[in-house]
Amino acid sequence: MDIAVTTELAIFSVQDGALRVLLETGATDGLPKAPFPGDADLDRFAAALLSRLTGFDGVYIEQLYSFGRRSQNTAMTGVTVAYFALIPPAVSSTVRSGLYWQPLNENWHLPNEQREVLELATQRLRDKLGYSSIALPLMPEEFTLGHLQEVYEIIGGEALDKRNFRKRILSLAYVEETGRQRRNGSHRPAMLYRARNPGRVEILR
Amino acid sequence: MDIAVTTELAIFSVQDGALRVLLETGATDGLPKAPFPGDADLDRFAAALLSRLTGFDGVYIEQLYSFGRRSQNTAMTGVTVAYFALIPPAVSSTVRSGLYWQPLNENWHLPNEQREVLELATQRLRDKLGYSSIALPLMPEEFTLGHLQEVYEIIGGEALDKRNFRKRILSLAYVEETGRQRRNGSHRPAMLYRARNPGRVEILR
DNA sequence: CATGATGGTGTTCCTTTGACACTATGTCAA
DNA sequence: TTGACATAGTGTCAAAGGAACACCATCATG
């Protein structure tokens, strides 16, 4: 009656203007996963796997869903526990070799069960954008409000009004000024902000 | 590397003015559960277990969370997949013997891990009350708005304004009039309503 | 027919949300 | 030096949504 349990991760990051998911190269490319040994805590195991894959520690990870009897095609049966994680724009060196960042707005092949996980994860991300500070784990330590708005727009898939966006974000007090500025190109420099509670995603309302 | 997988159910119902959870009598009373055989779909298996326990078929059930390495005390290790389900006020005969309805507002003993599941489930129920039609699976086929409000108040734990409640519910159009009335005691009879989409919990906004 | 018990109904105010356009400050090139 | 360009930053108004609030209606019963 014992069963193979697999942990599967949908790891997101926003890079070069696109929401991307981390894929593992292999026989068929797919979401990174590992067999769960059973002698550890599931959530801790997933977090450790995330850290091993990306080099990031203590970043956002959340359990998504558990599936029984995945992949009806293959003979393999078992239980898959899917997680979804968010990491800041990665310096390329931090990600382990054999992994790459796949933009979500392109079309590419992914096994059906993994596509289901991925869609569930992106849906969750989009939903939480509206009632939590879920975007912050995707940001670098310091960022401008313009950059934050860009991330919201990339995930949400629609343009936002700048004034309303800033009003809302500042009233929610997710973020605070660092006092420093970023001078970027040939234009007015922008104030830099940071998360008020780094590593903590807060729910609103 | 294979692991025992257990399915655990937190089944709620509102009866006699209290939110109650279905417990199984045993060495220590607790949430009903069953080993997952691995040759079935997890969600289907949980639904079948629910049906076997309560006699209700096709009622509301939702996956809650999966835990690894439960019960650090006992030697037993494994994965537990917890579900939460809602059933209408049960005619007592439908529930299998060895089971009983425990009111949540009393204090009683429950193993720690199961208490965690139960608190997660009640929290989810309370949250969803605000943005979905989650209360309907708890109602009988026909019900009055007063009865529906009572269920909201029992779950939410606070009194609601009658006029605002009715305005909101009717504008959301979860429910529709049956045209029939219930004459109950020595007072004005109440209109009966039914779910517009029985068996379907809708998310709002 | 008076009492008691629950059913049913609208308005007002306040807060929140969404639409909308112009000035500020820096770099760069002519 | 100054004009062009690019992004940063700022306030108002109207509409919608949510919360507070009190009275009449209808039935059974004694």
Side-chain angles (χ1 to χ4, degrees), chain A residues 161-164 167 181 183 185-189 205:
Chain A
D161 177 85
K162 201 205 306 190
R163 282 166 297 184
N164 291 338
K167 223 187 317 173
Q181 292 188 328
R183 42 203 172 295
S186 47
H187 51 79
R188 177 172 176 178
R205 260 185 165 308

